[in-house]
């Protein structure tokens, strides 16, 4: 009887012992499930690519600086190009020689350009690098149109400049007037010169006085006073009188005053007479 009871008692499954302090595993499993869901929803490929891009963006300036530093050379030569009349190739090369030995990449080309364009004859300077150690400078000089007041020059663009050697410009007309009226003088001179040349007359110069009066100088030495008012009409009147009455005797004319309403006043050159020897 006792054996039977023992056998039966062994056959009855016993309940697993409960852990103290733990009532259920459900909530913990729920929390891990939520975390796994969140992690699964993250676009890890895009995140990784973004991180790589940020890293590369940070490394590019550093790498570029390292590469340029390794490639940098000293400037060893300067080539100057251009047509020179007032300035000279040698002088430009000497001026640009201050940059010999400086960094190929770090040298400020705009600084060289500004320095060269401060030279009186230089209208513009273009500076470029030629790898690995050379600078090339293209110079464009100012083209003088005429001599201006006080021996200065005026360029074809109307710029006044005062080089140390204005005489190298050669034979040019002489213009004069207030500096702020230089464009007016140039425009008037061009108009008169075109009309004179069309009639076989040479233009020598034009002066605008501060009070506004104009005086024309012909290549044959005749001075034409035009005054302040009706300058174009007076100039045309002079042309008419000259062609009809004065052309044949132009070598005798010293001055023509065209400020009259219906004509001009002519000043003739003094006739040289031989003086008799004293007894």
């Amino acid at each position: 009887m006792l054996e039977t009871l023992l056998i039966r008692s062994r056959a009855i499954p016993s309940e697993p012992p409960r852990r103290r302090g733990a009532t259920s595993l459900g909530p913990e499993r729920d929390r891990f499930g939520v975390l796994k869901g969140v992690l699964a929803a993250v676009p890890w490929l895009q995140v990784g690519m973004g991180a790589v891009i940020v890293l590369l963006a940070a490394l590019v300036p550093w790498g570029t600086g390292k590469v340029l530093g390794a490639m940098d050379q000293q400037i060893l030569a300067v080539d100057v190009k251009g047509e020179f009349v007032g300035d000279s190739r040698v002088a430009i090369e000497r001026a640009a020689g201050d940059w010999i030995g400086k960094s190929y990449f770090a040298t400020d080309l705009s600084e060289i350009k500004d320095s060269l364009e401060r030279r009186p004859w230089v209208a513009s300077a273009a500076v470029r690098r030629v790898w690995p150690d050379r600078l090339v400078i293209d110079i464009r000089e100012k083209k003088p149109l005429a001599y201006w007041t006080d021996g200065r020059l005026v360029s074809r663009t109307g710029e006044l400049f005062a080089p140390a050697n204005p005489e190298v410009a050669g034979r040019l007309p002489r213009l004069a007037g207030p500096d702020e009226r230089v464009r007016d003088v140039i425009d008037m001179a061009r108009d008169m010169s075109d009309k004179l040349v069309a009639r076989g007359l040479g233009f020598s110069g034009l002066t605008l006085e501060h009070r506004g009066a104009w005086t024309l100088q012909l290549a044959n030495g005749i001075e034409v006073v035009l005054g302040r008012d009706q300058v174009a009409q007076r100039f045309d009147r002079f042309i008419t009188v000259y062609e009809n009455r004065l052309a044949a005797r132009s070598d005798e004319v010293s001055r023509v005053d065209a400020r009259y309403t219906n004509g001009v006043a002519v000043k003739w050159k003094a006739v040289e007479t031989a003086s008799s020897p004293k007894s």
Side-chain angles (χ1 to χ4, degrees), residues 5-220:
L5 290 175
L6 289 175
I7 293 172
R8 287 180 179 177
S9 63
R10 290 173 184 170
I12 298 173
S14 59
E15 294 184 2
R18 292 187 178 181
R19 297 174 60 186
R20 294 182 180 180
T23 58
S24 175
L25 295 177
E28 288 193 8
R29 290 177 181 175
D30 290 344
R31 285 197 293 272
F32 282 115
V34 172
L35 179 58
K36 289 180 180 180
V38 171
L39 293 177
V42 174
W44 290 107
L45 179 60
Q46 290 86 342
V47 171
M49 292 180 63
V52 171
I53 291 174
V54 171
L55 179 61
L56 290 177
L59 290 177
V60 164
W62 176 85
T64 302
K66 289 294 184 181
V67 171
L68 292 179
M71 295 174 62
D72 199 8
Q73 304 286 335
Q74 288 185 341
I75 297 172
L76 299 181
V78 177
D79 294 336
V80 177
K81 300 180 179 181
E83 297 181 2
F84 299 95
V85 175
D87 218 318
S88 72
R89 191 182 312 276
V90 174
I92 297 291
E93 290 174 347
R94 188 180 300 116
D98 293 340
W99 283 272
I100 295 293
K102 294 189 176 180
S103 166
Y104 179 85
F105 288 114
T107 296
D108 188 352
L109 299 188
S110 63
E111 180 182 349
I112 302 176
K113 173 182 171 67
D114 293 342
S115 174
L116 294 174
E117 289 180 349
R118 285 194 290 269
R119 299 176 68 85
W121 278 101
V122 176
S124 65
V127 186
R128 56 189 174 90
R129 298 180 178 91
V130 176
W131 175 258
D133 55 10
R134 186 177 299 272
L135 294 179
V136 175
I137 300 173
D138 290 293
I139 297 293
R140 185 173 63 85
E141 275 196 343
K142 297 169 185 174
K143 303 297 183 183
L145 174 70
Y147 291 99
W148 189 251
T149 309
D150 300 331
R152 289 175 292 168
L153 291 171
V154 54
S155 71
R156 295 177 185 177
T157 60
E159 180 181 356
L160 295 172
F161 62 105
N165 56 342
E167 69 282 353
V168 301
R171 296 185 60 183
L172 293 174
R174 294 188 176 273
L175 305 179
D179 289 354
E180 64 273 14
R181 298 288 303 276
V182 61
R183 291 300 320 177
D184 296 332
V185 177
I186 290 174
D187 292 342
M188 183 72 78
R190 282 175 171 162
D191 182 61
M192 291 182 176
S193 177
D194 291 343
K195 293 180 179 179
L196 290 171
V197 171
R199 292 167 173 80
L201 292 171
F203 174 87
S204 179
L206 182 66
T207 299
L208 172 62
E209 299 177 6
H210 284 277
R211 59 188 180 88
W214 296 87
T215 302
L216 170 67
Q217 192 78 29
L218 302 184
N220 59 10

